[in-house]
Amino acid sequence: MADDLYVNNEAAKGAPAAAPREGFKDLSTEHKLLGCLLKNEDPNGRDWREHQLSASQVKRYWDEGYLSNVPVLTEEQCDRLLEAYETFLDPDNLHPGHGLFYEFHSNQSGDPNNVLLHALGHWRIEPAFHDLCFLPSIAVPASQLICPSREPHPIRLWHDQLFSKPARHGGVVAWHQDYSYWTRTTPMLHITVHIALDDQTTENGGLHFVPGSHRWHRNGGMPLPITDASFRNMESIQNVLTDEEKAAFRPVPSGLKKGQASFHHPLMVHGSYGNHSDGPRRACVVNYIADGVLSDTDEPLMNGLPVIPKGKKLAGQFFPLVCSPDPAAVV
């Protein structure tokens, strides 16, 4: 179970104050493609197999801790997601499903000169973001990469995210490992898919990775501590690195283009600098878990969700099965 090193004090701050509008449909009851981004497909059919990664791509992921520049969306699909994103932005006219967000931070940094919109749970609210989580071009590669065995494994949705940096004063996302925020689940069989909705550059705050940092851990496999849950202090992670890790800390830009994705390990150190360009930098994220991951807490895993008792498997309405290479193995 998470101790004080892994407490995310920002999560509760992002909980919506109001319930969704009466009669609004919670899309978490739908565990299939709705046809918003792609026609419905057999999740175990041959249409999915065309999205498989090569053996060399799988090897690169495990060698470096991430795989970048994988085409997953068309220009049209990106634009459809951006249209959906725009419906979340007016604070005076909240989306009727706003109350279903797990978290919504209009500016997680709290600094008006370094603005970072960060949200979780929009798959329950907008059909385009719902379908993104079930899209074969994303789910199939994730199922190949999620287990150290390097064999495809059934995956479930953990949660989604949105990150948006406005032009000229977009905020940073401080260096971190994702599993530092996820120790309330076990074992560590997770993967993050980051999808660019705009071309990402060093000027506009594109995603960066520290190759090989997926091997950095503490106390028998635990992640590095959370150093700044507000994401304000870009270099706060330096306070917890060893001399060897500091010497190996050589970030590289992802170089993602609109519609491309990166897949990264839950211990991969990653982050992004501020946006000083004349355009926005927007991205969506889908996080998956291997089927069989358990709750490691007796508290709600996210704001507004019912408790899954410690030791029980994540499944059901809010953690749907997304891709199953071997459906007979799923209980």
Side-chain angles (χ1 to χ4, degrees):
M1 185 174 176
D3 59 22
D4 290 344
L5 296 176
Y6 306 110
V7 173
N8 177 8
N9 293 316
E10 296 296 313
K13 297 178 184 178
R21 188 176 301 170
E22 184 177 356
F24 184 83
K25 180 179 173 71
D26 182 351
L27 298 179
S28 67
T29 60
E30 298 286 350
H31 294 178
K32 61 182 180 180
L33 290 164
L34 302 177
C36 189
L37 294 178
L38 194 67
K39 291 182 179 179
N40 211 340
E41 297 184 18
D42 176 2
N44 302 298
R46 61 187 178 190
D47 289 331
W48 280 53
R49 289 194 290 270
E50 70 185 40
H51 301 288
Q52 289 181 331
L53 300 171
S54 68
S56 63
Q57 287 176 304
V58 174
K59 182 179 185 301
R60 191 182 320 148
Y61 174 88
W62 286 102
D63 286 349
E64 299 186 358
Y66 72 100
L67 180 68
S68 195
N69 304 101
V70 179
V72 296
L73 296 177
T74 65
E75 182 98 5
E76 182 181 1
Q77 289 170 325
C78 289
D79 291 343
R80 176 65 189 91
L81 289 162
L82 288 170
E83 289 173 7
Y85 156 75
E86 291 289 335
T87 67
F88 301 145
L89 301 184
D90 186 352
D92 298 320
N93 184 25
L94 291 179
H95 191 289
H98 185 87
L100 295 178
F101 277 109
Y102 302 139
E103 299 177 38
F104 189 89
H105 307 266
S106 58
N107 182 13
Q108 187 153 340
S109 78
D111 180 354
N113 296 312
N114 294 280
V115 175
L116 176 72
L117 182 148
H118 180 210
L120 290 75
H122 37 287
W123 78 283
R124 301 173 63 185
I125 300 170
E126 271 291 321
F129 286 113
H130 171 280
D131 277 15
L132 180 70
C133 300
F134 293 85
L135 210 60
S137 59
I138 295 168
V140 171
S143 74
Q144 291 181 266
L145 300 173
I146 201 163
C147 286
S149 67
R150 308 192 185 190
E151 294 295 326
H153 191 89
I155 58 172
R156 292 184 179 274
L157 178 65
W158 171 219
H159 66 78
D160 58 352
Q161 293 171 278
L162 270 175
F163 289 95
S164 179
K165 305 179 182 189
R168 294 180 291 282
H169 63 287
V172 306
V173 176
W175 300 112
H176 66 283
Q177 294 175 320
D178 286 339
Y179 193 60
S180 301
Y181 293 85
W182 297 342
T183 55
R184 61 194 186 276
T185 58
T186 188
M188 185 185 68
L189 293 172
H190 303 60
I191 192 168
T192 298
V193 188
H194 177 108
I195 305 117
L197 299 179
D198 300 292
D199 288 352
Q200 296 193 7
T201 66
T202 54
E203 185 185 13
N204 73 6
L207 184 64
H208 284 63
F209 297 108
V210 179
S213 59
H214 62 305
R215 301 184 181 91
W216 299 357
H217 54 79
R218 302 288 185 269
N219 304 321
M222 292 298 288
L224 303 176
I226 293 174
T227 58
D228 184 6
S230 72
F231 294 146
R232 281 191 298 264
N233 186 349
M234 186 72 193
E235 303 299 335
S236 61
I237 198 171
Q238 298 292 333
N239 296 323
V240 300
L241 297 182
T242 65
D243 289 343
E244 182 180 3
E245 289 164 349
K246 289 178 181 178
F249 198 94
R250 293 186 290 272
V252 298
S254 65
L256 290 170
K257 301 297 184 183
K258 183 176 181 178
Q260 291 183 343
S262 62
F263 297 76
H264 68 255
H265 188 278
L267 294 184
M268 166 55 53
V269 174
H270 62 289
S272 57
Y273 297 97
N275 181 7
H276 305 293
S277 75
D278 291 330
R281 200 231 73 175
R282 298 157 294 186
C284 46
V285 173
V286 183
N287 304 296
Y288 296 110
I289 53 174
D291 183 54
V293 165
L294 310 175
S295 169
D296 201 28
T297 180
D298 286 318
E299 298 180 2
L301 290 168
M302 276 166 280
N303 294 324
L305 294 191
V307 169
I308 296 180
K310 184 175 180 178
K312 296 296 184 181
K313 173 179 166 178
L314 273 65
Q317 177 177 344
F318 303 107
F319 306 102
L321 190 70
V322 173
C323 180
S324 175
D326 182 10
V330 180
V331 178

